[in-house]
Amino acid sequence: MNPSEIKLLGEAIAQNAQFLSDLDYVELDPLERTDLPRNIGLLKNARVVDEVEDGYFYPGENYELLKKAIGSSRYEADTTPDIAEWLERLSFYVANFFDSLSNDDDAVTNHKRQIYRHIRQLESKLNVAIREADYQVSNEFGNVKTIEAKTRLSQHYLSITESILGRLSRIQFSNLTGLLPYPNSDMDVVMVELDKKLNRLRGYLRTVILKIQKLNISFRKIEARTKKLNRLLTAIQNKAIELDVEFVDVNSLPQIFHKVELNGIIPVAHFNAISPSVYEESRFRDIASKLKLNREQVKNREQNKDYVAYQEDEPIEQAEDLFEVQFEQEKQVFVAYLFNCGGSEISLRDYWESTSSLSTLVDVRSWLYEMVNWLGELEQDMDSYEFKLLLIKEPVCEKTDVFIVSDVKTQFSNKPVQHV
Amino acid sequence: MRDDTLMIRQLTNGQVLCSVTAPDAVAYLKTEIGRESVDDALHYQGMTLAHSEYQDYWYAVYNDLNFKPDASAIRRELQHVFNTTEPFLSFMKLVMEASGEDQYPDIEHDFYFGSVLSTIENNDTLANDLVKLTSKAFFKKASNRSTHSERLRTVVDLMESEGIIISDDSGSHYTYTGKLAYHIALVERVLEIQVPELLDDVEDEQGSLELA
């Protein structure tokens, strides 16, 4: 190749960097690309890619050379140590340590140092591996542009981090102490320290895995949005739908424009108790605070050490504890009931009236207020479901503008993908 | 004059205040006092303050849709949104593909004119798409331009005049605004009511969104 051909090939590689990176993930089926620039021919000639039929590619015989040159997949190769082999070696060093106990002190110390070094080695390698995954995830795989590639990368990191976690989780404290033929104060300390380090690494891994999973969900949401907009565009272009204001029902206009509205409960009430953007602004918060049954008082009381100290020896505290336990059970039973009802609307007041164990435990207003808050907290812990809460208000008497909340109706549903 | 007078006027005029075009206003509206103050002022004009789920764009809605002038204004706005949906989506798709991405842009996403142009000039399919785009009524001003550069510049200028994108001082870097998100959200809501099956994708929106 002459210098100008090398330059052209270099440019072709640069222009098709994303495509080449995607090829790295090809397994059984070839990668389909129909919109590649014309200079892809150079990559074919250089046997970097192999076009099996029009628009379908496999990595070519020289692809691995290129991959090595650009250092792709370095993460997998360099930073994930073989934990089983490491453990085997640790076992060997521990055996050496015990063998040396009959020798002089220097040999014992040396073997102990070797064990510490071996542990530090694993810790350091795993830290680097996890930090790298954490960095990539925190940057949302910013080195690649497409969601498709980002999703593949996140799956790649997820499978590696999960595999490391799986292998680390198999090393329990009992396994470590099992390496010792008999108790030894030095080795006991080593194993305790190692166990602490492994626990910390497992915690770090779990955090990263959770981040990747969350990122995966957001990628899928973006994919769903793109598909949705593609369907919309195709439908308009194929005249499958006609967007004309004449066909919009006048009665649906408030629903279209007023879906999220401040300072008012929306006519078709969708009250998300935990979402700060809605909850904070909701009039219900004000109504609830007027009920004088809010949890802040309880929290404040708990935070007041004097009060707690004063209460310590009081038998009433035991009664309160018992109440809390019973109330917690009632809430759990209700949620189970809500899910069993398969998404149908449930009246919290009717449920309270029909459940004697509950109605003898708390009054209805406490029940309504507590459940609105608690369901909100519960929703926060669930990624796929939300609780819709509809406030039922009644006038306090005839010919009045003053309304009170008499009931709350709730149902659970799947969270929508896109919101406004 | 009150500090928030300008934003009240903008909201009353139907403008969408977003984190791209009016970050200070958005920060103000995120405060309780700012929100209440603006909302009170809007109420005097028969409007209410509204916002997106993540409060990244804010707008005013008419309170009484039985009041004919307000209902007419809304219908006019909706018709304009309808008329521009297809050209806007086509533009977004073109820029998305020319940027090597596979997701439709959303609020705060950006692109560089030069980079998009360069890809279009080197890709016949995208160049054809640009020509097709300029044949649409909304972009007719660009149809008689002779080069891809001129065509794309005119198209981008039209999108900017609609408030869907905004450029920084360089004139080459563009960012999508909250008006785009608002626009798409309105169309989605209409379709949710009228043709929900078009937006439904059980596979995408159900099981696949759960934590692994």
Side-chain angles (χ1 to χ4, degrees), chain B:
Chain B
M1 189 188 275
R2 290 161 52 145
D3 290 345
D4 52 11
T5 301
L6 186 61
M7 68 183 81
I8 292 165
R9 283 183 191 163
Q10 289 171 322
L11 289 165
T12 315
N13 283 337
Q15 288 187 37
V16 177
L17 301 181
C18 73
S19 53
V20 177
T21 54
D24 293 343
V26 168
Y28 178 71
L29 290 171
K30 281 184 176 176
T31 65
E32 199 169 338
I33 189 163
R35 209 162 40 235
E36 281 177 4
S37 164
V38 171
D39 195 43
D40 274 351
L42 288 175
H43 269 286
Y44 282 108
Q45 301 170 69
M47 300 181 104
T48 298
L49 189 61
H51 58 79
S52 62
E53 189 192 10
Y54 299 109
Q55 301 192 352
D56 46 4
Y57 65 87
W58 297 72
Y59 55 101
V61 291
Y62 293 106
N63 286 336
D64 184 5
L65 295 178
N66 292 320
F67 184 53
K68 266 196 164 179
D70 287 358
S72 303
I74 278 194
R75 295 176 78 82
R76 272 197 306 278
E77 183 187 342
L78 208 51
Q79 189 58 59
H80 178 68
V81 166
F82 286 167
N83 293 343
T84 50
T85 297
E86 198 271 335
F88 284 4
L89 284 176
S90 300
F91 169 80
M92 287 156 67
K93 192 173 184 193
L94 176 72
V95 173
M96 167 179 88
E97 287 173 354
S99 305
E101 292 174 357
D102 60 354
Q103 57 168 309
Y104 277 91
D106 205 347
I107 179 172
E108 294 184 11
H109 286 205
D110 62 351
F111 67 90
Y112 285 88
F113 182 88
S115 157
V116 170
L117 177 64
S118 153
T119 313
I120 288 174
E121 283 177 334
N122 287 303
N123 185 312
D124 293 343
T125 313
L126 291 176
N128 284 336
D129 287 347
L130 176 63
V131 174
K132 260 191 234 165
L133 189 70
T134 57
S135 68
K136 294 179 195 301
F138 182 81
F139 293 117
K140 67 178 177 199
K141 219 173 138 186
S143 61
N144 57 359
R145 301 291 190 267
S146 53
T147 63
H148 291 324
S149 169
E150 287 170 350
R151 282 190 199 104
L152 186 65
R153 173 57 67 195
T154 312
V155 165
V156 165
D157 287 348
L158 281 166
M159 292 299 288
E160 193 173 10
S161 68
E162 278 288 319
I164 297 296
I165 52 174
I166 186 171
S167 68
D168 58 18
D169 292 339
S170 70
S172 113
H173 180 225
Y174 290 86
T175 308
Y176 288 92
T177 67
K179 194 173 175 189
L180 169 79
Y182 170 75
H183 187 119
I184 289 174
L186 279 184
V187 176
E188 279 184 3
R189 281 183 213 160
V190 171
L191 295 177
E192 270 169 20
I193 295 166
Q194 295 200 320
V195 268
E197 65 278 5
L198 180 74
L199 302 180
D200 280 351
D201 191 335
V202 175
E203 187 197 335
D204 289 336
E205 297 177 13
Q206 301 289 326
S208 63
L209 294 181
E210 290 175 15
L211 276 180

